[in-house]
Amino acid sequence: MNILVTGSAGFVGKNLTEALKNIRDGKDKTRPCLSVGEIYEYDVDTDPALLDEYCRKADFVFHLAGVNRPKDPKEFMEGNFGFSSTLLNALKKHKNTCPVMLSSSVQATLVGRYDGEYGRSKRAGEDLFFAYSKETGAKVLVYRFPNLFGKWCRPNYNSAVATFCHNVANDLPVTVNDSETELELLYIDDLVSEMLNALEDKENREGKFCTVPAAHKVILGEIIDLLYAFHDQPRTLQMPEIPTGSFAKKLYSTYLSYLPKENIAFPLKMNTDARGSFTELLKTASGGQFSVNISNPKVTKGEHWHNSKWELFIVVSGHGLIEERKIGDDEVLRFEVSGENIEAVHLLPGYTHSIINLSETEPLVTLMWANEPFNPDHPDTFSEPV
């Protein structure tokens, strides 16, 4: 299947084009029934003469090109309606009735209530596409997208989320007029997934319009609070809750894409003494705490127990011995561990435990997970030799 993408250098176009390339090149095998051939990328800098050739060869057209912020409002109609006419005329010239998708906007629903050139130009484009379908019999897929967000979206342009992410990531001020404002937001990966559905003739529809059912309605204040929590994570090590499919998860992916080089890497506090070091890596509200422990040669660490807390020790380098003894019993459970044979060892509640570096020359490196972050007000940690 040969695919034409207009507006290929834009936010949506770039994400879609890269997704199509991954399928074409066999890097993405999640769509086994989808065969991608040539991908014709058309944007404002493309030779206009190529549009005719692309319209002759295309088996599917994604029409994403449009004008968002022109210098003159009259350019809305020229860019959003005029070029659509040019595209459809080229398809008609070659009697190519392949499916055509149109990227419209929820702003088109405001025509008659809000006098905006952008919305009117989008509505005109929709009407043009529906008339084209009636005239030629070609399948058209008209999507009215809400506000979009995700990687590669330009800040200070037409996405508030992109601007907020960019500013918070770069320690720039954020201006919010009304934190109770509700936004309808669509994540770019969900949009691209729906575009691939459309290629497979599995688009979602509501009446004559197509839709992406994964949009989120979010209060502006919630977005700002999440972004500052993400911003503070290198200092607090506390990761906010980001459940699968949640807006928070998608926003965090977006936020990370705006980090400047100087904020990508950040230092961690190493607590060191003669025995080695202990460094907290990450804390979560419900997923526990991750740390790394380094024991110097012939050093024993631990020698304590917990009532309710449990842990996993994973030695990734060196040679050591983990010992555990149930409180009140004499039997000692021993587990010899090594970075050459990585395994996880449970540290059991009610068992005092230790980890011993058996090497006389090499450090012992252990990745540790505890089911809850350390709470100094309720440490649940009691010294006792194994």
Side-chain angles (χ1 to χ4, degrees):
M1 179 184 294
N2 297 327
I3 300 167
L4 167 59
V5 181
T6 72
S8 58
F11 168 48
V12 177
K14 181 178 179 181
N15 277 274
L16 175 60
T17 299
E18 292 304 318
L20 292 171
K21 290 177 181 177
N22 284 336
I23 295 172
R24 179 196 64 190
D25 299 340
K27 299 175 184 178
D28 181 353
K29 302 183 186 299
T30 62
R31 302 267 179 167
C33 297
L34 187 57
S35 177
V36 177
E38 295 293 327
I39 302 171
Y40 306 125
E41 300 179 48
Y42 190 89
D43 207 80
V44 64
D45 296 325
T46 307
D47 182 354
L50 291 174
L51 183 64
D52 187 76
E53 176 186 352
Y54 295 164
C55 286
R56 178 174 61 85
K57 297 180 178 179
D59 300 305
F60 197 105
V61 177
F62 289 104
H63 183 35
L64 307 175
V67 174
N68 293 309
R69 282 200 172 185
K71 294 180 181 179
D72 186 339
K74 294 180 181 179
E75 294 177 31
F76 277 128
M77 194 62 73
E78 179 182 342
N80 295 330
F81 175 80
F83 180 69
S84 294
S85 299
T86 301
L87 171 70
L88 297 181
N89 286 335
L91 290 169
K92 285 193 285 187
K93 172 185 174 182
H94 296 289
K95 296 182 172 56
N96 185 348
T97 57
C98 70
V100 186
M101 171 268 172
L102 173 66
S103 170
S104 188
S105 167
V106 292
Q107 293 291 321
T109 65
L110 301 178
V111 174
R113 290 180 290 154
Y114 172 73
D115 188 25
E117 291 288 344
Y118 178 72
R120 282 206 295 271
S121 68
K122 286 297 187 181
R123 175 68 73 86
E126 294 174 357
D127 293 342
L128 182 68
F129 265 63
F130 288 130
Y132 170 78
S133 177
K134 187 175 182 180
E135 176 188 349
T136 65
K139 179 180 179 179
V140 301
L141 303 93
V142 178
Y143 287 85
R144 286 176 165 175
F145 294 137
N147 298 292
L148 307 178
F149 72 105
K151 66 183 184 301
W152 304 336
C153 188
R154 191 196 318 179
N156 302 306
Y157 185 57
N158 65 341
S159 168
V161 173
T163 302
F164 294 150
C165 286
H166 173 269
N167 285 16
V168 173
N170 288 272
D171 298 306
L172 298 172
V174 172
T175 301
V176 177
N177 294 323
D178 183 2
S179 61
E180 294 301 314
T181 299
E182 184 179 71
L183 300 179
E184 184 177 6
L185 297 168
L186 177 60
Y187 184 52
I188 189 61
D189 286 7
D190 294 328
L191 189 160
V192 169
S193 179
E194 172 63 20
M195 295 301 94
L196 299 180
N197 288 342
L199 275 179
E200 294 184 315
D201 201 27
K202 298 176 182 177
E203 69 277 2
N204 287 280
R205 286 186 175 270
E206 290 183 1
K208 67 178 182 178
F209 291 95
C210 298
T211 184
V212 185
H216 301 267
K217 291 186 176 180
V218 190
I219 300 299
L220 188 54
E222 178 186 346
I223 299 173
I224 300 302
D225 289 345
L226 280 169
L227 289 176
Y228 278 114
F230 300 154
H231 173 274
D232 293 343
Q233 192 274 330
R235 176 180 56 82
T236 65
L237 301 183
Q238 183 73 34
M239 181 65 68
E241 291 291 306
I242 47 175
T244 300
S246 67
F247 172 76
K249 181 177 184 292
K250 298 168 185 177
L251 183 66
Y252 191 50
S253 292
T254 303
Y255 168 79
L256 290 175
S257 71
Y258 292 91
L259 283 177
K261 180 181 179 181
E262 59 269 22
N263 290 345
I264 293 176
F266 56 93
L268 295 169
K269 182 184 177 183
M270 296 179 66
N271 301 286
T272 60
D273 57 26
R275 301 174 303 159
S277 67
F278 177 80
T279 306
E280 294 180 341
L281 304 178
L282 179 68
K283 303 175 185 179
T284 68
S286 60
Q289 173 177 312
F290 297 86
S291 308
V292 62
N293 181 75
I294 300 177
S295 302
N296 288 335
K298 298 191 288 186
V299 161
T300 298
K301 285 190 173 184
E303 302 280 280
H304 60 241
W305 63 282
H306 315 290
N307 278 310
S308 297
K309 182 184 295 185
W310 69 89
E311 299 169 290
L312 283 174
F313 282 11
I314 305 169
V315 168
V316 295
S317 180
H319 180 209
L321 180 68
I322 295 174
E323 295 186 333
E324 303 185 57
R325 178 180 61 81
K326 188 177 182 179
I327 297 301
D329 285 2
D330 295 328
E331 181 185 7
V332 177
L333 310 178
R334 293 182 172 88
F335 305 90
E336 193 168 348
V337 288
S338 168
E340 296 181 356
N341 184 28
I342 295 178
E343 58 183 343
V345 179
H346 284 289
L347 281 296
L348 308 177
Y351 281 69
T352 185
H353 52 262
S354 64
I355 183 166
I356 306 165
N357 187 350
L358 298 177
S359 173
E360 296 186 357
T361 58
E362 299 296 326
L364 181 70
V365 182
T366 308
L367 179 64
M368 298 178 170
W369 173 82
N371 69 297
E372 59 188 34
F374 177 75
N375 181 357
D377 295 327
H378 184 67
D380 190 16
T381 302
F382 311 96
S383 298
E384 182 162 335
V386 175

